[in-house]
Amino acid sequence: LLLKNLNNKHSILDMGTGSCCVIGLTLWKHLGCNVISSDVNSDILSSAQQNINLNCAKIKLVNSNLFENIQDDFNIITFNPPYVPTNEGNKNKLSKKFQSQWDGGLDGTLIVDKFLNEFHELKKPVVAYVGINSKYVSKEKILTLIKSKNNLELKKIHQHRFLPIQIYIIEKYIK
């Protein structure tokens, strides 16, 4: 989806990059675009840096909680936010060390809502590709969160062919 819609003129913020920096590396390698990858967990950033080094990639890593420490310019955001409800993650014994990667709060929407609040406040037009597993958070909940923010418009929902994953393509526009 991203490789079809983006090109080397785009500047990507790969938010919540994860330990392998897969999305950022893929976009940098195949499109040659500028990539800034961020994560809130410094252990994960250390692993991501190793993978970036192995690939000799020119990707900047930033330790950031959402947009908090992002200074660089970007016009596209990729984000696979934590969306597993806390009780569900604890019941399934998901990693406490990497809880920032999966814990979406009481109903799975805590981080998505925080992201949309900060995304809504950006002072420039940007497009976000946000991946959510509907096994944990319903499409209706996500649509309600998006609709509650001024200056955000849902452009499209891309449904994965086999998995219960939707990519919400959301545009931040300036009035």
Side-chain angles (χ1 to χ4, degrees):
L1 176 67
L2 291 168
L3 292 175
K4 291 179 184 177
N5 292 332
L6 304 180
N7 60 49
N8 65 352
K9 305 261 189 284
H10 288 102
S11 187
I12 314 296
L13 170 57
D14 176 26
M15 186 173 283
T17 195
S19 59
C20 293
C21 193
V22 173
I23 293 173
L25 279 168
T26 300
L27 295 173
W28 175 82
K29 184 175 185 175
H30 292 282
L31 301 177
C33 54
N34 183 51
V35 177
I36 305 115
S37 291
S38 70
D39 207 286
V40 69
N41 185 314
S42 58
D43 290 332
I44 286 172
L45 284 173
S46 179
S47 294
Q49 185 65 62
Q50 289 175 15
N51 204 20
I52 288 168
N53 293 346
L54 283 172
N55 285 278
C56 301
K58 294 179 182 175
I59 294 176
K60 180 178 181 177
L61 279 181
V62 179
N63 189 329
S64 185
N65 185 357
L66 299 175
F67 297 96
E68 182 179 69
N69 297 321
I70 305 299
Q71 305 298 320
D72 300 87
D73 196 28
F74 57 89
N75 56 9
I76 301 290
I77 301 167
T78 61
F79 190 32
N80 183 18
Y83 47 69
V84 176
T86 307
N87 288 340
E88 184 88 14
N90 289 335
K91 183 175 75 177
N92 290 316
K93 298 181 179 12
L94 296 181
S95 169
K96 290 289 184 193
K97 182 177 181 182
F98 296 110
Q99 191 165 352
S100 66
Q101 303 306 289
W102 60 263
D103 191 352
L106 187 62
D107 69 351
T109 64
L110 179 68
I111 305 303
V112 175
D113 192 39
K114 285 181 180 181
F115 168 78
L116 291 172
N117 282 333
E118 292 184 27
F119 181 50
H120 156 79
E121 294 296 325
L122 294 176
K123 304 290 187 220
K124 59 185 176 181
V126 179
V127 176
Y129 291 76
V130 181
I132 305 286
N133 185 326
S134 61
K135 175 182 173 187
Y136 297 106
V137 180
S138 72
K139 181 168 130 180
E140 291 73 26
K141 281 185 181 180
I142 299 300
L143 293 176
T144 299
L145 290 174
I146 294 168
K147 288 177 186 174
S148 73
K149 311 296 185 236
N150 293 334
N151 302 338
L152 295 185
E153 180 182 348
L154 178 66
K155 300 303 274 184
K156 183 178 178 181
I157 301 173
H158 176 79
Q159 175 65 53
H160 189 278
R161 217 187 290 176
F162 307 112
L163 301 173
I165 296 170
Q166 290 86 37
I167 307 293
Y168 296 86
I169 303 170
I170 309 162
E171 184 175 352
K172 160 64 173 130
Y173 59 90
I174 306 296
K175 288 185 178 181

